[in-house]
Amino acid sequence: MDEVNDAVVTIALLYPELLGTYGDGGNARVLAHRATVRGIDAEVVAVSASDPLIAADIYLLGGGEDGPQRYACEALRRSDFVRRIDDGAIVLAVCAGLQILGTSFCVEGDDAYAGLAVVDAVTVRGDTRAVGELRVDVGGSLLVGFENHGGRTTVQATPPLGDVVHGVGNDGVVDGFRHHNVIATYAHGPVLALNPWLADDLLSRALGAPLEPHRSVADQLYAQRCRVLGGN
Amino acid sequence: MTQRTSPRTVCARLAVRGVNALSRLLRRGSGTVAGGRVGLALDHSLLTHLADGRTIIAISGTNGKTTTSALMRAAWGTDVGGNLTGANMPAGHVAALVASRSRRFILEVDEAWLPTILTQCSPRIVCLLNLSRDQLDRASEVRQLAERWKAMAVANPASTFVANASDPLIVDALTNATSVTWVAVPHSWHADALSCPRCTAPLSFADRWSCACGFAEPESQWRIDDEGVVTKGAVTIPLTLSLPGLFNRINAAFVLAALDTLGESVATASSRLSTLDSVQGRYGLRRFGTRQVRLLLAKNPAGVAALLDDPDMLSREIWVAINAQIADGKDPSWLYDAPFERLAGKEVTCLGERRLDVAYRLEVDGVFATVVDESRHLKPEGPLVTIIANYTAFQEWMRLTTPW
């Protein structure tokens, strides 16, 4: 997009009927709001699994329970989502969304289920469920959030999103991954509400230009969560 | 058939009474849980013995358990016992059963404990109100819970279920139940059952819900419409409540359907329901300084949706108090699943440990709110204010206010 002020950001919330267990729709609301307050039009389109994919500037994949996760994976496999990622689509994938983009994941027991293989991430079922606050050092920026998942994910060549400071993430050491314009994390639900810097990073990628600073209660919230969780 | 009481059970009953009395004496609680735990430790089959010979109605679901239990108690008549303090796990059930000789008993039951309670207490009627996401950091995801209920329904053929036909997860859970009285209700919350519990394909919600795989809403004997009119078959049931809100008329419809299934008079039951105007501080008017406040409990998205659906429940000024203690769920992500955008046009103040989360949740939908760090900074005078609070915040506000 050349002219930021004339731009319209289209945000595709993928399959909210399947991948929306933990307030995941909040990420779309936050992106749209942060664009709008800067005078940039934003449109959120909820795409059902029975609908074709749409052209969008940012795609959001949320968390979900086992059956819906498997169904969402199949719907994405039938679509041209992987090609769009290869072509540079900006994607935020959390929790089940993260697992779907990998080579395989476990649902409904310990059987491995084929993912979209966008990245070389293998998710197996952990001995215990990872539930609690998650803090991740993402290149010097602190990502704060909450995780609630039973998966343990191993990424091989793909770089992780960051190092786990507190919590489990992929494996207790690193969290998520980065691949082209895909950012994946186990910090579930409205992670962009808690991390305005990450929301702005996605938006500026979509716009191809840096954003004007925007102060809001989100900054107070981020500072509070960093303080409470012992970050900087 | 009433069983003979063993010495172990007698000891356990005495222990429950003794520990709970001591707990109340030492002001260590309301005396409903500690004794129950001791009793269960002494006699693992204590619940079965205590339930023996009683007619029990169990009430479970994500939202409305406590209010429906209170309505049921009002409607069933005199000498009805129950765990009416909200202690809805086995220790609370034990304490309530030991404390009362009533032959008619109401058990409010935590969703996760329902299979255990059915096995041990054999209730005649089991009301299943609804199932939706709630405190996911410490509870099962909702479909896992529905799967456990499915096995429960098969294992308890003597119980009759009075169940929500408009909730696909509940209908699926009762697939193999022997006896069900279905109640169709207007729903404001579908987000946990947008995909079919059987085949995972998206469900369609028209007048009744259905899936392409053939799974569909069953025919209901009881219905309640968007206006709150309750019908059994073609007959409209007169119903006057003092409790506000469509969701309380839905709760009342379950009460009438349950008592009708037991063979009680619907007309008599209905006439008794209007006597109840407050349930543990909820709904009734209370005093904060010189102000009238109405305290409403909402601890998950479906609960908030039900409250915000009803404009009569809300004053112009709204205080939203949200904590994230263990009892509330430590993860307030659910705020983004709740339709707080419906507070647009209201004068909103955010309170509680997660007040900044609430304020930003509102801001992204264009609802600007004031953040107040401590309740002493709130205006103690002015017009009626509605307080929407989750569990521990609600308890705090019960302490900060007095009956009007």
Side-chain angles (χ1 to χ4, degrees), chain B residues 242-244 277-287 292-296 313 384-385 394 398 401-404:
Chain B
S242 300
L243 295 181
D277 58 7
S278 175
V279 179
Q280 294 182 26
R282 304 175 199 180
Y283 314 115
L285 291 174
R286 295 181 68 81
R287 182 187 302 276
Q292 271 192 334
V293 301
R294 189 190 294 280
L295 269 179
L296 301 175
M313 298 288 287
L384 171 70
V385 59
F394 183 91
M398 282 296 287
T401 56
T402 52
W404 184 256

Side-chain angles (χ1 to χ4, degrees), chain B residues 228-259:
Chain B
V229 176
V230 177
T231 50
K232 181 192 176 192
V235 179
T236 299
I237 308 295
L239 176 63
T240 303
L241 292 183
S242 300
L243 295 181
L246 176 62
F247 55 91
N248 277 327
R249 294 187 70 81
I250 294 171
N251 292 335
F254 275 92
V255 167
L256 297 176
L259 293 176

Side-chain angles (χ1 to χ4, degrees), chain B residues 146-163:
Chain B
E147 281 300 312
R148 300 221 301 275
W149 279 14
K150 194 179 275 188
M152 166 189 86
V154 175
N156 293 278
S159 294
T160 294
F161 293 89
V162 175

Side-chain angles (χ1 to χ4, degrees), chain A residues 84-196:
Chain A
R84 288 173 188 271
I85 290 174
D86 291 341
D87 290 346
I90 298 167
V91 179
L92 174 70
V94 304
C95 208
L98 172 157
Q99 296 178 2
I100 284 171
L101 295 180
T103 319
S104 66
F105 56 87
C106 288
V107 288
E108 295 155 341
D110 293 323
D111 293 337
Y113 196 82
L116 299 180
V118 170
V119 298
D120 53 355
V122 174
T123 300
V124 298
R125 193 170 294 282
D127 294 335
T128 56
R129 202 165 170 84
V131 183
E133 305 282 357
L134 176 63
R135 267 184 293 150
V136 182
D137 181 348
V138 182
S141 298
L142 195 64
L143 180 139
V144 292
F146 201 95
E147 62 182 332
N148 188 347
H149 59 96
R152 296 296 182 274
T153 300
T154 305
V155 282
Q156 301 293 337
T158 309
L161 178 62
D163 296 326
V164 171
V165 180
H166 178 85
V168 177
N170 290 1
D171 55 4
V173 179
V174 296
D175 176 57
F177 52 78
R178 280 179 184 275
H179 170 79
H180 293 317
N181 278 323
V182 176
I183 289 177
T185 176
Y186 269 113
H188 73 198
V191 59
L192 299 183
L194 294 173
N195 298 276

